[in-house]
Amino acid sequence: MPFTAEQFGILAEKTLHFLLILKKNGRIVAFNNRCEILFPTNEIEKKAKYITDYIIDDDVKIFNQSISTLTHQNSIVSESFSFATENLGVLALKFNLTFHNDLIYAAGIDTTEEYKEHRALMTISKLTKTGAWYFDPKNDEMYWSKGCYHIKDLDPNTIMTRALGASFYSKETRARIESYLDNLVKTKKPYQYTEKIVTQKGNEKWVKVVAHPVIYKNEVIYVNGTIADVTDRHNYIEKLKYNEETKNLALKGIQSGLFDHHIEKNEVFYSVDFKKMLGLPLDHDFVPEETFREMIHPDDVDGAIETHIHNLEKEGNQYFNQYRLRDKAGEYHYYEVHGFRRKNNSGETVRMIGNLIDVDQRIANEKTIIESKNRLQAIVNNGFAYTVLLDPKGQILMTDEKSLKIIKRDFNVDPTKNSCLFIDVMPLNFKNTFAHEFNEALKGHTVKKEIERITNNGNTQWLESKYIPIYSQEKKINSVLVSFHDITEQKLAEIAIKQSHLKEQELNTLKSNILSNFSHEIRTPLNGIMTVSKLLLDEKEPKEIKKLLAYLEESKDRLLETIDNLSNFSDLEAIKSNLNIRKVDTNYTVETSYRQYKHLAEAKNLKYDLELDDSCPQITIDEELLKAALNNIVHNGVKYTNKGGIIIRVNSEKSKNNVYISVKDTGIGIEKENLKKIFDPFMQESIGINRRYEGTGIGLSLSKRYIEILGGKIKVKSKIGKGTEFIIIIPKCL
Ligand code: ADP
């Protein structure tokens, strides 16, 4: 029997239900008294109000969504909304919404307590990244809470099946994961596992799954489970594992053993590695100190103990010791002890934890390196060359003893102790070419170069420098070997050979000079004499006869002069021992020579002057020798001058002791390079070009020797094409 309207009115007012009638847009049309705790009812009567004005923001969306699904066909939905009330705080109401005649009839019950619990669980699930699930084995039904969906980055509206759940695991593990659940149903035993999944979005995650059976009448009717995202923890554990592994590998790699020494108790705990390393029994944690001491090399015991005591007393927390220890095979190895000391309040070391490291191989390597370095140094020192090894920046890596000495002496640096660029300590003469040669070597070329330098003692030294690139195992140039080889001896020998070749050539030329000079100088006047004598026999004219006789005289003089010169040249010693020394008037002697060549100068239309010294300087000499010397020079002046003239001067004012006789011409001059040679016997400057001037080439050499016999000197100044000046300097007294 249906309610009467009165019965219904009472029921509606007395019920604990919240009853509301709403329009489809949520506007409140009617409500029972119970709703007064949700909103001020008088307000609603005055103004049109919507239920969404009182629902908390988060739930407005859910409300709108629920209403939108309400149609005449689908006329009932049930959903929970929370209301922010003035007096009771947030109230959670679960409503049944019925759609009838375009109005919504809402009947709600207070679920605030359950709601609070639910929210709290949701929060836990969110914070711990956990989800809950259950499985009904009878219907093969799988339920996932929102947390499960969240972990798998999956839309919560997706319908869950066992197959979908398994699809997030890798193909290889899928069957195993499925078998866990089947086994649980069979064995009724809970299980748990941690596995990797790949989420819907492709992220890799590690999940821990726990499953418990719910048993009814000895049969599993449900499986309750959780799933937790343990990626962070997993990664952390992996990292820890990795670190632990790294530590173990590192310790194994450096062949070390750990120890922990309680000094007060005098107990030493040794790690397994330690005991293995030294061949100690593995079943004993502690090794008596005496046993340990016996293992130290007898030569090292005292030092080790001393260092140990010193270590314990010193400041800081570090501990270091080193000694040789006997291993299980009875062989001694070098060990280093690196430790950390813990101190008590009074600063005494009470505990020490450390590492014993086998450094035998390192020490052996160091020894080998030092030995090979010494051998290399010995080779470098005893080589014939100066040797320097440079790094690619030009810094000295190694050098031989001789070079080291020189660098230390000249630059006051020791490249074996302080880094030093070779360019800063090399002799000046090398600097110009060094950079170029060094760079070439860095490009991989071996370079050779000869250098001439002046040594500290002022001697010339020739060095052959060699730049050789040196390659590392990776085939990169890591250094350049620069060596300087002293080739002075070789160079000097080469020069001597060259010079002797030249001398030989010169001598050959000289020989032919002598021959041609003399044949010319003898044949010309002889020819003259022969021709003139023939002519004389036929000549009747006294005037012509006189002329011919004069020619005859001239040829005779020339022949005599040549023969005289020749005999004088070979007879110098005789001249020296038969000197006729007496006081002579220089002006007079010079004038005699001047006169002798006057006619010759005039015949060539040359100016021919004489300037005598007014003080009439007297000299004590062999006059004949001076005259002979001077004659040659004056004769040459006239002979080698074609225009201008010759001036002869006597001067004694410049010096108290000497008289200067100068013969200056404006003739052809002498090449600079020949100036020295003209005093060599049989040298004629003009020979090189062609023989244009008469003469034997011994005149000047005789003049020089004569003047030297008289204690004097001859000097010559000349400019090619401009003229020549010979100056005879004669001491007033011999
Ligand atoms: P020569 O008999 O050839 O003149 P000398 O010994 O007198 O021999 O001279 C040697 C060389 O010196 C000459 O051949 C000539 O080339 C050069 N010489 C000497 N005096 C002069 C001068 N006054 N002017 C130019 N050349 C000269």
Side-chain angles (χ1 to χ4, degrees), residues 20-23 26-31 44 49 103:
L20 289 136
I21 300 173
L22 310 168
K23 288 214 162 162
R27 196 173 148 194
I28 302 166
V29 178
F31 50 88
I44 299 196
K49 282 280 176 184
L103 287 174

Side-chain angles (χ1 to χ4, degrees), residues 434-707:
F434 170 75
H436 176 252
E437 257 78 82
F438 184 63
N439 282 332
E440 281 299 302
L442 285 180
K443 284 184 207 156
H445 305 139
T446 297
V447 194
K448 253 192 201 178
K449 181 104 193 166
E450 276 185 16
I451 302 164
E452 188 183 343
R453 66 181 285 258
I454 306 296
T455 65
N456 241 26
N457 317 327
N459 298 328
T460 306
Q461 185 186 37
W462 277 273
L463 294 172
E464 182 186 79
S465 63
K466 224 182 197 181
Y467 295 72
I468 301 159
I470 293 176
Y471 292 86
S472 67
Q473 274 183 330
E474 295 80 36
K475 305 260 180 299
K476 275 190 182 156
I477 295 173
N478 65 4
S479 49
V480 174
L481 186 74
V482 187
S483 64
F484 298 94
H485 196 81
D486 191 337
I487 50 162
T488 311
E489 298 283 314
Q490 186 186 325
K491 261 282 157 163
L492 286 177
E494 268 174 30
I495 291 172
I497 290 169
K498 247 189 217 161
Q499 276 177 347
S500 70
H501 269 302
L502 274 179
K503 251 278 131 20
E504 201 178 319
Q505 263 176 359
E506 250 173 43
L507 280 175
N508 274 340
T509 342
L510 205 61
K511 208 164 77 186
S512 43
N513 282 359
I514 297 168
L515 288 175
S516 69
N517 286 357
F518 280 97
S519 63
H520 178 86
E521 282 307 305
I522 294 169
R523 204 171 278 152
T524 314
L526 258 181
N527 273 345
I529 292 169
M530 275 154 64
T531 321
V532 171
S533 346
K534 245 189 207 154
L535 288 175
L536 264 179
L537 286 176
D538 298 337
E539 190 56 67
K540 301 275 178 325
E541 197 63 44
K543 228 183 180 179
E544 284 304 308
I545 290 176
K546 211 174 169 191
K547 244 190 204 166
L548 286 172
L549 280 175
Y551 278 134
L552 205 60
E553 185 73 6
E554 205 178 286
S555 296
K556 176 210 80 185
D557 283 349
R558 191 165 162 193
L559 196 57
L560 265 182
E561 192 181 325
T562 302
I563 289 163
D564 260 7
N565 270 347
L566 257 184
S567 75
N568 287 349
F569 188 74
S570 54
D571 229 10
L572 266 182
E573 287 310 308
I575 293 174
K576 262 193 213 168
S577 51
N578 284 314
L579 287 178
N580 178 16
I581 307 286
R582 56 191 182 83
K583 228 181 206 168
V584 178
D585 176 2
T586 323
N587 280 350
Y588 178 77
T589 314
V590 173
E591 195 171 350
T592 321
S593 282
Y594 168 78
R595 266 179 218 291
Q596 200 164 333
Y597 297 96
K598 199 168 187 248
H599 67 281
L600 212 61
E602 282 167 0
K604 285 178 84 175
N605 275 331
L606 296 171
K607 261 185 102 213
Y608 191 66
D609 295 318
L610 175 68
E611 269 178 29
L612 295 173
D613 188 330
D614 294 341
S615 65
C616 295
Q618 303 284 305
I619 42 178
T620 312
I621 49 155
D622 181 322
E623 192 188 10
E624 284 313 309
L625 276 192
L626 175 61
K627 226 198 271 174
L630 194 56
N631 280 355
N632 269 330
I633 289 168
V634 177
H635 189 182
N636 279 347
V638 179
K639 196 156 76 174
Y640 296 108
T641 307
N642 299 320
K643 55 178 189 235
I646 297 100
I647 179 157
I648 305 170
R649 290 192 188 94
V650 181
N651 188 331
S652 69
E653 280 163 22
K654 277 193 240 165
S655 147
K656 264 202 308 205
N657 305 324
N658 297 323
V659 177
Y660 293 80
I661 305 161
S662 147
V663 180
K664 191 173 176 181
D665 63 54
T666 57
I668 59 170
I670 305 165
E671 286 284 2
K672 203 172 170 196
E673 60 191 59
N674 289 333
L675 273 178
K676 266 190 195 151
K677 285 194 209 159
I678 53 169
F679 295 104
D680 292 345
F682 312 113
M683 271 299 166
Q684 280 194 313
E685 207 218 336
S686 64
I687 279 176
I689 316 155
N690 52 38
R691 192 184 156 86
R692 281 197 289 146
Y693 299 92
E694 309 283 338
T696 52
I698 56 172
L700 275 182
S701 76
L702 271 180
S703 299
K704 186 168 179 258
R705 287 173 196 207
Y706 289 168
I707 299 295

Side-chain angles (χ1 to χ4, degrees), residues 188-199:
K188 305 175 195 78
K189 282 191 185 143
Y191 69 83
Q192 69 173 56
Y193 63 82
T194 304
E195 264 312 331
K196 190 165 79 176
I197 59 163
V198 177
T199 70

